[in-house]
Amino acid sequence: MEAGNKSDNFWYKDVVFYELHVRTFCDSNGDGVGDFKGLTTKLDYLQWLDVDCIWLLPFYPSPLKDDGYDVSDFYSIHPDLGTIEDFRVFVHEAHKRGIKVIVDLVFNHVSSEHSWFKEARSHPESQKKSWFIWSDTNKKNISARIIFSDTEKSNWAWDDEAKAYYWHRFYGYQPDLNYDNPEVREEMKNVMRFWLDTGIDGFRCDAVPYIFDRDGTSSENLPETHLFFREGRKMLDEEYPGRILLAEVNQWPTEAISYFGNGDEFHMLFNFPLMPRIFIALAKEHYQPVADIINQTKSIPEACQWAIFLRNHDELTLEMTNDEERDVMWREYAKHPKMRFNLGIRRRLAPLADNDRLRIELLYGLLFSLPGSPLIYYGDELGMGDNIFLGDRNGVRTPMQWSPDKNAGFSSADSEQLYLPVITNPNYHYEAINVYAEKRLPYSLLNWMKNVIGIRKQKKAFGRGYIEILKPSNTKILAFIREYDDERILCIFNLSRHAQYFELNLGQYAGMIPVEMFGNTNFPAIKKEPYSFTLTGHRFMWFELRKNTSV
Ligand code: NOJ
C-alpha cells in the first residue's frame, strides 16, 4: 500500500500540520460546497506553503448537525464532497507532492441517523441494541461532566422509539457507542483498516478519553480506554507500520501524558494544556504560564510527540485552565458575549491578536519553536477573520479565501448558495486577505509564514530537540534553548508590548557565536558574563549557536 515515504518512522516529529475541512476549502462544481476535486487542485498551494501533513476534518456521510462529527456511515464519503475515487486521487496526489494525509475518525459516537442506531432503537431484540448504552433512568452515571454545557442538560437523552434513555457525551443526537461490546471494538478496528487501505498516513482520533463509561466515575481516562487504543496501536504497528495515531485528549498534563503509554499507545497528542497558556502569557506579559506547562509536559517517551496548536476548528477551549486563568482569557480575548461558546472562545487567531501583526508573528514564533509538531488551521496563515454571529463554531469555519474574486475564489455558486458566507468585515475582507493578494506582497503574513516554516525546517532541533527554559532577568521575556545532536538554538520572546532589556546567563556556551536565523546575521560571541539583549515590543528572535571557527 502506498503511504508516502516510510523510510523514517519518526516522520511525525518533523512535520508541519495543516488542518482543513474539505467542505470549506475549494468548490470544484459550483454547488457552494467544497469537495475533494477542489481540494486536489489546491495541493500545489499547500506544497508551496511547505506544509507536510494534512489533517482532514470528518468527510463521512452525516446530517451535519455537528459539522460532520455526527457520522452516519463510516465507510463512505459525504456525497457533497465527492466519491471514494475522488478521495483516493486526492491521497495519491498529496503523496506525489510529499504531503501526508491523516483523517479524523470519530470513535466515541455516531449520528442518531446512523443505521446502527436506527436499528438499535427500532426493537428491543435488535442485534444492534447492545452497540449503544441504554437505561430506564437518567439518574445513573451522573458524575460524568457535561461537555457541551451551553446546549445539553444531561448526558442521557430519552428515545421515544426505544422507550429508554441513551447515553451521549456530546450533542443529544450523537449516541455514544458501547465499547464494552466486543463487536463495536472490532467494527471500529475494521473502519480503521478500511481507511488505512486507501493509503492514508494515520488518524486524528476524536474525543478519545470518553469511549468507556463507568457509573460512579468521571467516565474519562478509564483503563479500558487505554487498553482499546493500545490494541489499535498494535494493529497499526503490525499491519500498517509507519502510520500514526494522533489523539484529541483534552486533559490535564498527567492524564494526557498517560495516553502516550510507554510509547505503545498514541504517537501524538494535542498539547491542550499548553495552548491557552500561550495566550495567557501574552495577556499577562509574563513568561511563567508557558514555562510551567512546558516543564510539566516535556518528558515523554522517545517515540512520541506533541502536536501543538494555537487555533483549530473548535472554540479555543478553556477546560484545562483554573478560574483565575479563565478570567484572564475571558477578559482579554472574549470582550463580546458572542465570542464565548461552552467553556471557550470561538475566534480565529488574527482577531484574537486584535489583528496586530506583531502579536500574530510572536504567537507563531512560539508555535514554531516550542516542543512538538506545529499545526496551522486553514486560513490562519493569511490572517483570516471570523464571524461570531454565525452560531455554533461556524464563525471560524467560513470559506477559504483564495482571491479577491466572487466568493473569495472559493466557489462559482451564487453567494446565497455557499454553505457559509465569506468574511466581509472591513478589517478582514476577503478582497485583501486572500492567497492571491498575499502571495504578491513580499511582506504579507502568508509570505512570512512560508519563510518561518522554511527556517524551522533547516533544524531538526525544533521538532526533536530537548528544551531548557532559561531564567531571564526580566519576567516579560520567555527564553529557551532547543538542543538536538550538535544543534543548539536560542529562542527569545518579548511578551510585552513595550521594548525590554534583559540579560541571559549563557556562560555554558561561552565562545559560541549566536547567528540570528532569519537574516543569518552574526552577533557578538558569548562570554562567561551574562549576555545582554534588547527586544522591541512583541518581537522574537531565534539564534543558532555556532562554534566560533575564526579562533
Ligand atoms: C471534538 C471535535 O473537535 C468537535 O468539533 C466535536 O463537536 C466534538 N468532538 C463532538 O464530536
Side-chain angles (χ1 to χ4, degrees):
M1 255 328 116
E2 171 198 16
N5 175 12
K6 285 199 234 144
S7 60
D8 179 357
N9 280 355
F10 283 174
W11 58 266
Y12 47 90
K13 292 193 171 201
D14 303 315
V15 298
V16 174
F17 284 97
Y18 190 89
E19 176 194 0
L20 66 88
H21 208 330
V22 184
R23 184 169 293 276
T24 68
F25 214 58
C26 179
D27 169 16
S28 74
N29 60 355
D31 64 356
V33 180
D35 44 49
F36 274 105
K37 282 201 170 113
L39 170 58
T40 306
T41 66
K42 296 300 184 186
L43 281 168
D44 288 342
Y45 164 71
L46 296 178
Q47 186 181 23
W48 171 84
L49 184 59
D50 215 2
V51 298
D52 311 280
C53 185
I54 298 171
W55 155 23
L56 291 182
L57 288 161
F59 47 72
Y60 314 96
S62 159
L64 300 178
K65 291 185 179 166
D66 183 16
D67 209 24
Y69 281 96
D70 44 336
V71 177
S72 56
D73 177 4
F74 284 111
Y75 293 100
S76 186
I77 304 270
H78 194 291
D80 289 353
L81 311 186
T83 62
I84 279 270
E85 189 44 35
D86 296 342
F87 176 84
R88 284 181 201 279
V89 171
F90 157 70
V91 174
H92 177 74
E93 289 296 321
H95 283 166
K96 248 171 61 185
R97 290 164 178 77
I99 299 176
K100 294 184 186 275
V101 177
I102 63 169
V103 307
D104 218 304
L105 190 52
V106 189
F107 283 90
N108 183 65
H109 48 269
V110 297
S111 158
S112 51
E113 300 295 307
H114 197 296
S115 60
W116 299 342
F117 188 69
K118 285 195 194 157
E119 199 183 320
R121 69 176 10 164
S122 65
H123 57 98
E125 270 75 57
S126 144
Q127 193 264 331
K128 290 286 184 298
K129 186 86 185 182
S130 59
W131 283 40
F132 298 89
I133 302 156
W134 302 95
S135 167
D136 297 337
T137 156
N138 58 3
K139 301 285 177 296
K140 275 205 299 205
N141 205 1
I142 46 170
S143 28
R145 72 190 164 113
I146 293 167
I147 298 166
F148 283 175
S149 51
D150 278 5
T151 47
E152 305 305 309
K153 298 287 159 271
S154 164
N155 287 321
W156 292 106
W158 176 254
D159 187 53
D160 249 349
E161 214 178 318
K163 302 275 180 281
Y165 292 97
Y166 62 87
W167 180 250
H168 64 88
R169 288 309 296 269
F170 294 93
Y171 285 122
Y173 44 78
Q174 288 168 314
D176 276 28
L177 286 164
N178 176 16
Y179 276 81
D180 279 318
N181 184 337
E183 287 172 13
V184 168
R185 301 201 295 270
E186 215 29 61
E187 182 69 23
M188 290 313 285
K189 282 192 203 145
N190 286 336
V191 171
M192 290 171 80
R193 289 191 182 98
F194 177 84
W195 291 103
L196 288 164
D197 285 340
T198 66
I200 57 156
D201 301 285
F203 296 102
R204 179 267 189 189
C205 306
D206 185 62
V208 161
Y210 319 106
I211 65 163
F212 278 90
D213 309 277
R214 292 283 176 264
D215 203 358
T217 74
S218 68
S219 288
E220 296 182 20
N221 315 318
L222 294 173
E224 297 85 335
T225 300
H226 287 282
L227 193 61
F228 171 76
F229 284 107
R230 274 207 300 276
E231 280 172 19
R233 169 64 183 270
K234 198 161 169 276
M235 183 266 275
L236 218 72
D237 286 350
E238 285 171 7
E239 299 172 34
Y240 303 91
R243 322 289 181 96
I244 62 158
L245 295 177
L246 160 59
E248 186 205 27
V249 171
N250 189 356
Q251 299 286 327
W252 292 94
T254 317
E255 284 80 36
I257 287 174
S258 69
Y259 285 88
F260 286 129
N262 296 316
D264 58 354
E265 211 169 316
F266 287 94
H267 300 79
M268 300 191 75
L269 301 175
F270 290 107
N271 198 332
F272 277 97
L274 170 65
M275 182 273 295
R277 286 175 182 83
I278 293 179
F279 290 96
I280 294 168
L282 187 61
K284 289 174 119 178
E285 303 195 345
H286 202 294
Y287 80 105
Q288 202 75 46
V290 171
D292 282 352
I293 213 73
I294 289 294
N295 286 329
Q296 287 177 55
T297 54
K298 67 180 184 182
S299 302
I300 60 174
E302 209 224 329
C304 298
Q305 173 79 323
W306 292 107
I308 53 175
F309 63 106
L310 294 165
R311 290 299 301 112
N312 62 19
H313 63 291
D314 285 329
E315 70 278 21
L316 189 171
T317 163
L318 300 177
E319 281 167 326
M320 293 310 120
T321 54
N322 63 32
D323 288 348
E324 190 259 335
E325 292 168 326
R326 217 166 281 164
D327 284 348
V328 173
M329 289 297 289
W330 296 134
R331 221 178 21 246
E332 182 71 23
Y333 300 107
K335 296 196 172 89
H336 191 291
K338 282 275 185 198
M339 291 172 182
R340 294 189 181 199
F341 186 71
N342 292 326
L343 213 54
I345 302 172
R346 49 176 166 193
R347 302 182 76 191
R348 271 187 178 270
L349 188 71
L352 279 167
D354 287 328
N355 213 7
D356 174 353
R357 176 70 183 265
L358 288 181
R359 294 214 295 171
I360 295 171
E361 287 184 13
L362 185 83
L363 287 162
Y364 276 123
L366 287 162
L367 183 79
F368 285 117
S369 58
L370 285 168
S373 298
L375 173 111
I376 302 168
Y377 180 53
Y378 85 92
D380 279 355
E381 75 273 27
L382 305 171
M384 254 175 76
D386 54 31
N387 182 347
I388 53 172
F389 300 99
L390 286 181
D392 204 314
R393 289 144 293 177
N394 290 336
V396 301
R397 299 171 178 179
T398 61
M400 175 69 175
Q401 297 171 188
W402 295 105
S403 73
D405 303 334
K406 179 181 171 189
N407 300 327
F410 162 75
S411 168
S412 61
D414 288 342
S415 57
E416 301 83 351
Q417 208 187 333
L418 297 189
Y419 77 93
L420 284 174
V422 291
I423 299 293
T424 51
N425 175 296
N427 285 323
Y428 303 95
H429 200 291
Y430 70 82
E431 286 179 358
I433 309 293
N434 65 66
V435 173
Y436 173 82
E438 292 196 31
K439 259 190 167 183
R440 299 198 322 165
L441 289 172
Y443 298 101
S444 65
L445 180 62
L446 178 61
N447 277 315
W448 183 86
M449 289 288 284
K450 178 174 164 55
N451 190 32
V452 80
I453 292 172
I455 291 170
R456 175 189 163 92
K457 286 193 177 175
Q458 292 166 11
K459 298 289 162 211
K460 282 224 156 159
F462 286 118
R464 303 197 179 206
Y466 173 81
I467 185 167
E468 189 197 343
I469 306 266
L470 303 177
K471 201 140 183 52
S473 61
N474 177 340
T475 57
K476 294 184 189 302
I477 300 298
L478 176 68
F480 52 82
I481 298 268
R482 301 298 313 275
E483 195 170 323
Y484 183 75
D485 285 348
D486 55 357
E487 288 176 9
R488 271 178 203 83
I489 296 162
L490 167 67
C491 305
I492 55 175
F493 300 83
N494 178 3
L495 302 168
S496 140
R497 69 204 66 194
H498 302 298
Q500 299 293 325
Y501 168 83
F502 59 102
E503 292 177 350
L504 286 176
N505 196 344
L506 299 174
Q508 59 172 310
Y509 306 107
M512 299 187 93
I513 308 282
V515 182
E516 197 281 326
M517 292 179 69
F518 284 72
N520 203 21
T521 311
N522 284 16
F523 271 52
I526 299 170
K527 302 205 175 77
K528 280 272 167 236
E529 300 76 50
Y531 200 105
S532 44
F533 294 91
T534 304
L535 279 177
T536 55
H538 290 150
R539 283 289 184 180
F540 79 92
M541 290 168 108
W542 293 345
F543 296 95
E544 185 189 352
L545 304 185
R546 284 199 201 143
K547 289 215 173 76
N548 189 353
T549 45
S550 65
V551 286

